Amino acid sequence: MPDIRRDFDGQTVITTFEVTPGSAHDVLDLLTDAWDQVIRRQPGFVSGAIHLNDAQTRIATYSQWRDRKDYQAMLRHEEMRRRNRDINSMCKSFEPVMYEVQAVFNNDAATAK
């Protein structure tokens, strides 16, 4: 489970995939399998999540890595390169972007026990 903190010293990557409602679940299946079989097993992987919008036209993934180099190494992994080609062929576009956490907000009432 992602633990989003201002003091996170690793690399955060948010990737958006533009899909069609007809291909959304196929792409989701490919992504879920890639995360389960390859991505989460790579050195430096911390956590991640996959999101699908209500219209089924966008998928967003959120991942945290120990270091930018760990994320880049995952992308170069032969199995991931093959999977990314398959995923790319089913998307209108996809864009991974690296981010740094700037602020985090929580509902203190919801977290208090």
Side-chain angles (χ1 to χ4, degrees):
M1 171 180 223
D3 180 17
I4 304 170
R5 296 185 328 267
R6 175 83 168 83
D7 63 349
F8 179 63
D9 193 29
Q11 181 65 62
T12 299
V13 182
I14 299 173
T15 304
T16 54
F17 302 81
E18 187 178 357
V19 296
T20 65
S23 68
H25 285 280
D26 293 329
V27 173
L28 198 57
D29 288 345
L30 291 175
L31 285 168
T32 300
D33 191 59
W35 279 68
D36 185 46
Q37 299 300 314
V38 181
I39 298 171
R40 72 183 182 102
R41 300 172 190 277
Q42 297 305 301
F45 176 76
V46 176
S47 66
I50 303 173
H51 306 267
L52 175 64
N53 74 335
D54 289 346
Q56 297 185 2
T57 56
R58 296 219 181 256
I59 297 171
T61 63
Y62 180 96
S63 62
Q64 295 173 312
W65 297 84
R66 183 183 57 216
D67 186 87
R68 175 183 296 241
K69 291 177 184 174
D70 294 323
Y71 174 73
Q72 292 168 329
M74 177 275 298
L75 291 176
R76 288 189 302 272
H77 186 278
E78 187 57 39
E79 177 66 13
M80 202 57 227
R81 290 177 65 192
R82 183 191 65 75
R83 288 174 183 259
N84 274 337
R85 285 190 296 272
D86 293 343
I87 292 166
N88 183 47
S89 73
M90 298 184 73
C91 297
K92 293 180 180 180
S93 67
F94 77 92
E95 181 180 18
V97 180
M98 296 184 187
Y99 293 90
E100 291 182 12
V101 177
Q102 298 298 302
V104 176
F105 302 91
N106 292 306
N107 179 344
D108 292 333
T111 58
K113 293 188 180 196

